[in-house]
Amino acid sequence: MLKNIPNPPQATEIPKALTIHGDVRQDPYCWLNDPENPAVIDYLAQENAYTESVLKPTEALQNELFEEMKGRMVADEQSVPYFNGKDWFYHRYETGGEYPLYCRKKGNLDAPEEILLHGNQLGKDEAYFAVGGLALSDNEQILAFATDTVSRRNYTVYFKNMLTGELLTDTIENTEGGSYAWSADSKYFFYLLRDPQTLLASKVLRHEIGTDSSLDVLVYEEKNEECYMGLSRSKSKEYIFSISSQQGVYSEYRMLKTDNPTGSFEVFQPGERGLEYFIEHQNDRFLIRTNFQDATNFQLMACGVHGKTDKSNWQTVVAHRPDVFLEDFDATTAWIALEVKTNGLSQIQLIQGDTNEFIRMDEDVFQVNIGINAHYSSHTLRYNYTSLTCPNSVLEYDVTTKTSTLLKEDRVLGGFDKNEYQSERLWATARDGVQVPISLVYKKGYQKGPLLLYAYGSYGYSMDPYFSSSRLSLLNRGFAFAIAHIRGGQEMGRHWYEDGKMMRKMNTFTDFIDCGKHLVSIGQVDANRLFAQGGSAGGMLMGGIINKAPELFAGVIAAVPFVDVVTTMLDETIPLTTGEWEEWGNPKNEDHYHYMKSYSPYDNVVAQDYPHLFVTTGLHDSQVQYWEPAKWVAKLRKLKTDDKILLLDCDMSAGHGGASGRYKRFKDIAKDYAFLLGINETIAAQ
């Protein structure tokens, strides 16, 4: 139980007026936007000390939760090996190790193991460590890999000589981890270069192995600062693709034959506002997932590899369907697999010759997606399956026999039995009449107790039902857990996203509130013990709902929350700002400004009672800068009229994703759960 709370720190107020469109906003905590200022670091340290003091009574519980979560993990876990047409690849953990070992077996699974990269050795002295992707050259003599030791998602690429095990002198800094491709002759390496200030990748460069990166050749530069870039190699290995795209409105591919590395990238289809497309190579054609011809939920089209590739040459393979959202696809020489959404749930549709069928799933609430299918000529399809009660599973579908084989279901130690838990799909009626799906899980025997409601609701990212072994610690202590599939995601199709972005963003907040009210009205949760959680843009959601309906929620966890929307979207020097305008709007536009201001959590803090609140951030966060949650907490402390707990926990060595490592992340989750359980116990005792 949380009690005897000490006095919290109070941030200094320094008056600052922000004026645009004749409107003035006061931001007395703007001074926190300076990580080089010792006073800022001192304030964050005070907040951390206060959080530690408040949560000190839960230390034993935190340790108990951590050991539980860690104890459910298989110490020497290994992934299912996948075949690339020549060799088998997998990753595995060593007992006690935080980071994976990336391995290969040549030719067959009985071959000796070769460790390509040893994560524990590379990351042993780092406070933060992440590997951004591995790429083996075609002659198999050089392994390219990238690491980030700051948590800014700025990766440095290294090259390992596979014959000697030594690193080459070549290094490339400020890259987009995993977005790179080899030429067919293994002499050239293509990658994306990030701007060190905005962190946007806007340049494709060609590196010649054995030379200094200062000599790398710029092969394409994206001038539109609102675009994100990607770089990949086709599964056939015949093409390198670069893509420039704006969130939800625009895309343009360029391609280069891998056997012509010093040639020029050619435009596949010139970019047009409103036209989105995504391509892959299959045999003698390109497959194209696109919204061309008003295909709101996307359709699959194709054109030949020889000749023109612009949209006038595209032919329909799978037509647009108003009730089926085409989310992704994959292909080998033998089949095409479509990842689709129907009625809010994911499905896989398989096409082979005249065969066109869905792979059947047995549960009512689940998540399925296309897995790793690296073998270009494979006649089997790997896919992943999970649900709120079923651990992550890898299955293989034989397109000839039309049967699925379970290759692996993750083991969960500690006495886990999936039959002890129950999942359901519920529907809440939003205030405008729209039906919003809710995925619910609880341990059997649960009756109208505490419930944690989770959501994201932005960027068209679907928050599908997924299994979490750490979540069991909450369910086993009497909590239920629910995911609100609110607008802003794409669970119900592309219109679901369009109805929750830009000038319709308010639907995201009201959907979540209405889902919470529905759970209370049907008796699914004790009305006094409804909790909420969201991170990043979902953290913004948390800020919005406690401004609009603070009485509905007992406690809220806002992880790395994007809460100062207007100020951030006005500052083009902040990483990633310009690329976000198509999601939130550009506040230089007066209509956009006033609409964003109407929901921006920081701008709408008022003198009222708020729920108990636990806010987390990272000093090196590249997605949501630490000062946003710091300013928000400071303003809440000043204005809120209650005596409920308000905590800011700033990880001084991590960024947007929190702590790195297999087990370290459980420390953060244990702290979150201890906060929830402590608040719940306090309320139950009243």
Side-chain angles (χ1 to χ4, degrees):
M1 187 180 298
L2 302 175
K3 56 184 179 180
N4 301 322
I5 307 301
N7 293 325
Q10 297 291 333
T12 301
E13 294 185 60
I14 301 177
K16 185 174 182 64
L18 305 174
T19 304
I20 186 174
H21 306 303
D23 185 62
V24 181
R25 292 181 301 129
Q26 298 295 334
D27 190 0
Y29 306 108
C30 188
W31 66 274
L32 289 169
N33 178 354
D34 184 4
E36 303 302 320
N37 183 349
V40 171
I41 301 302
D42 180 64
Y43 170 70
L44 295 175
Q46 290 180 47
E47 287 286 0
N48 282 345
Y50 174 69
T51 295
E52 183 178 356
S53 174
V54 172
L55 293 180
K56 190 169 185 59
T58 71
E59 281 184 354
L61 176 59
Q62 289 183 51
N63 291 331
E64 179 183 327
L65 290 165
F66 174 76
E67 292 300 330
E68 277 182 12
M69 296 172 192
K70 184 178 178 181
R72 294 190 187 102
M73 305 293 289
V74 177
D76 56 351
E77 186 71 89
Q78 177 178 309
S79 68
V80 178
Y82 69 86
F83 188 57
N84 73 343
K86 185 178 180 181
D87 300 322
W88 292 88
F89 297 83
Y90 58 96
H91 68 266
R92 64 177 178 83
Y93 288 91
E94 293 181 326
T95 300
E98 289 282 359
Y99 305 107
L101 283 65
Y102 300 90
C103 307
R104 170 175 67 170
K105 291 190 175 183
K106 291 187 175 182
N108 61 74
L109 290 172
D110 294 325
E113 177 182 84
E114 177 185 11
I115 298 176
L116 302 175
L117 203 66
H118 200 304
N120 291 321
Q121 292 180 1
L122 289 172
K124 63 181 179 180
D125 297 323
E126 305 293 346
Y128 177 90
F129 178 75
V131 174
L134 283 66
L136 194 62
S137 62
D138 288 27
N139 63 11
E140 301 187 352
Q141 294 183 11
I142 304 173
L143 176 72
F145 66 94
T147 64
D148 172 16
T149 58
V150 180
S151 190
R152 292 284 283 175
R153 301 187 183 180
N154 248 4
Y155 288 84
T156 299
V157 175
Y158 301 93
F159 298 89
K160 179 181 178 181
N161 185 321
M162 296 304 296
L163 302 178
T164 66
E166 298 177 346
L167 293 181
L168 304 185
T169 57
D170 311 42
T171 57
I172 308 171
E173 297 182 346
N174 294 326
T175 70
E176 191 83 14
S179 292
Y180 28 72
W182 285 97
S183 62
D185 60 11
S186 302
K187 293 181 179 179
Y188 297 97
F189 180 80
F190 294 81
Y191 64 94
L192 293 179
L193 185 67
R194 297 179 109 203
D195 184 291
Q197 178 66 35
T198 67
L199 301 185
L200 285 173
S202 59
K203 297 176 181 179
V204 180
L205 283 87
R206 183 181 68 235
H207 174 74
E208 184 175 359
I209 298 301
T211 67
D212 191 90
S213 60
S214 64
L215 302 175
D216 292 354
V217 177
L218 176 67
V219 295
Y220 175 69
E221 181 175 6
E222 176 55 65
K223 301 290 188 180
N224 186 348
E225 293 182 349
E226 296 181 43
C227 280
Y228 292 103
M229 288 200 68
L231 185 73
S232 62
R233 191 173 180 182
S234 66
K235 187 179 296 186
S236 67
K237 295 192 174 184
E238 293 185 32
Y239 296 90
I240 296 172
F241 298 131
S242 74
I243 178 175
S244 301
S245 65
Q246 283 179 262
Q247 180 68 33
V249 296
Y250 169 97
S251 52
E252 180 178 87
Y253 272 82
R254 284 172 169 76
M255 59 184 183
L256 176 71
K257 291 278 287 182
T258 55
D259 60 5
N260 182 31
T262 59
S264 299
F265 277 80
E266 298 179 357
V267 175
F268 187 87
Q269 155 64 39
E272 298 177 8
R273 186 173 180 82
L275 174 65
E276 295 180 84
Y277 68 95
F278 308 89
I279 64 176
E280 180 57 277
H281 174 224
Q282 185 196 46
N283 302 324
D284 59 352
R285 64 180 180 175
F286 293 109
L287 295 173
I288 309 145
R289 182 177 75 92
T290 180
N291 65 351
F292 180 45
Q293 298 173 331
D294 296 321
T296 306
N297 272 343
F298 288 79
Q299 62 178 320
L300 190 70
M301 306 187 81
C303 68
V305 297
H306 304 295
K308 295 182 178 180
T309 58
D310 63 89
K311 64 183 182 182
S312 65
N313 296 281
W314 298 355
Q315 301 295 319
T316 300
V317 177
V318 178
H320 175 256
R321 293 163 287 185
D323 58 342
V324 178
F325 173 55
L326 175 52
E327 195 166 32
D328 199 2
F329 75 98
D330 196 3
T332 67
T333 58
W335 50 255
I336 301 170
L338 307 182
E339 196 172 300
V340 302
K341 283 275 193 303
T342 58
N343 199 33
L345 292 172
S346 52
Q347 301 276 357
I348 293 179
Q349 182 181 0
L350 189 64
I351 302 169
Q352 183 195 31
D354 296 330
T355 301
N356 189 331
E357 60 190 354
F358 286 88
I359 300 176
R360 292 186 57 83
M361 306 298 160
D362 295 329
E363 291 188 88
D364 294 330
V365 183
F366 60 86
Q367 175 185 356
V368 64
N369 56 61
I370 299 168
I372 299 175
N373 295 281
H375 184 197
Y376 184 46
S377 300
S378 177
H379 284 261
T380 58
L381 164 71
R382 285 272 181 96
Y383 65 97
N384 305 311
Y385 179 90
T386 185
S387 73
L388 292 170
T389 60
C390 177
N392 298 321
S393 305
V394 179
L395 298 98
E396 192 165 77
Y397 185 83
D398 190 309
V399 299
T400 303
T401 63
K402 300 181 181 180
T403 56
S404 287
T405 301
L406 176 65
L407 301 181
K408 180 184 179 182
E409 179 179 295
D410 284 357
R411 287 189 295 156
V412 180
L413 306 181
F416 168 71
D417 180 356
K418 69 175 71 175
N419 296 312
E420 294 180 357
Y421 303 87
Q422 179 70 42
S423 65
E424 297 180 30
R425 172 59 62 98
L426 307 174
W427 296 86
T429 302
R431 60 197 64 187
D432 61 357
V434 170
Q435 295 293 299
V436 181
I438 302 172
S439 297
L440 173 70
V441 65
Y442 49 86
K443 191 168 186 178
K444 291 177 180 177
Y446 167 89
Q447 289 184 336
K448 199 176 182 180
L451 183 147
L452 176 61
L453 183 61
Y454 183 85
Y456 186 70
S458 291
Y459 300 107
Y461 183 78
S462 297
M463 186 55 63
D464 295 319
Y466 63 97
F467 182 82
S468 166
S469 64
S470 57
R471 187 192 300 140
L472 297 174
S473 292
L474 207 57
L475 302 183
N476 292 345
R477 287 173 171 80
F479 265 74
F481 176 83
I483 302 172
H485 303 285
I486 55 181
R487 279 173 283 188
Q490 289 186 130
E491 288 92 334
M492 300 296 288
R494 184 51 179 262
H495 75 282
W496 208 244
Y497 172 39
E498 299 294 341
D499 280 349
K501 64 180 288 196
M502 293 285 284
M503 303 296 279
R504 300 175 185 171
K505 190 61 198 171
M506 203 67 76
N507 287 332
T508 301
F509 304 102
T510 55
D511 279 0
F512 189 87
I513 292 168
D514 293 341
C515 285
K517 289 181 176 178
H518 177 72
L519 291 168
V520 171
S521 69
I522 64 173
Q524 190 63 58
V525 57
D526 179 341
N528 295 316
R529 292 187 288 165
L530 175 61
F531 296 84
Q533 182 180 21
S536 193
M540 178 195 66
L541 170 67
M542 296 299 101
I545 58 121
I546 64 171
N547 282 334
K548 295 179 182 301
E551 74 289 343
L552 184 61
F553 303 98
V556 171
I557 297 174
V560 292
F562 174 39
V563 285
D564 193 8
V565 184
V566 177
T567 306
T568 293
M569 288 296 101
L570 280 168
D571 189 349
E572 297 178 33
T573 68
I574 293 177
L576 311 179
T577 288
T578 55
E580 301 288 288
W581 285 339
E582 288 297 338
E583 178 71 20
W584 314 104
N586 182 349
K588 293 178 182 178
N589 175 305
E590 187 169 0
D591 290 342
H592 290 181
Y593 169 82
H594 287 294
Y595 188 78
M596 293 167 72
K597 184 184 175 186
S598 73
Y599 68 75
S600 175
Y602 183 65
D603 290 299
N604 288 279
V605 174
V606 296
Q608 65 177 359
D609 287 1
Y610 281 92
H612 296 283
L613 189 60
F614 185 34
V615 183
T616 65
T617 187
L619 184 63
H620 303 294
D621 196 329
S622 61
Q623 310 300 108
V624 178
Q625 308 301 311
Y626 75 87
W627 57 78
E628 289 199 40
K631 287 166 52 177
W632 182 46
V633 166
K635 191 172 184 179
L636 281 163
R637 284 207 200 287
K638 174 72 173 181
L639 294 178
K640 74 189 191 81
T641 54
D642 59 83
D643 59 357
K644 294 173 185 170
I645 293 170
L646 171 57
L647 303 177
L648 174 66
D649 189 5
C650 181
D651 190 323
M652 306 303 280
S653 64
H656 199 62
S660 64
R662 190 183 189 205
Y663 298 116
K664 289 179 183 177
R665 61 190 175 93
F666 292 140
K667 292 281 188 181
D668 292 338
I669 300 173
K671 192 180 293 186
D672 289 346
Y673 285 4
F675 169 79
L676 292 174
L677 292 164
I679 299 299
N680 178 62
E681 183 182 354
T682 300
I683 294 172
Q686 291 174 348

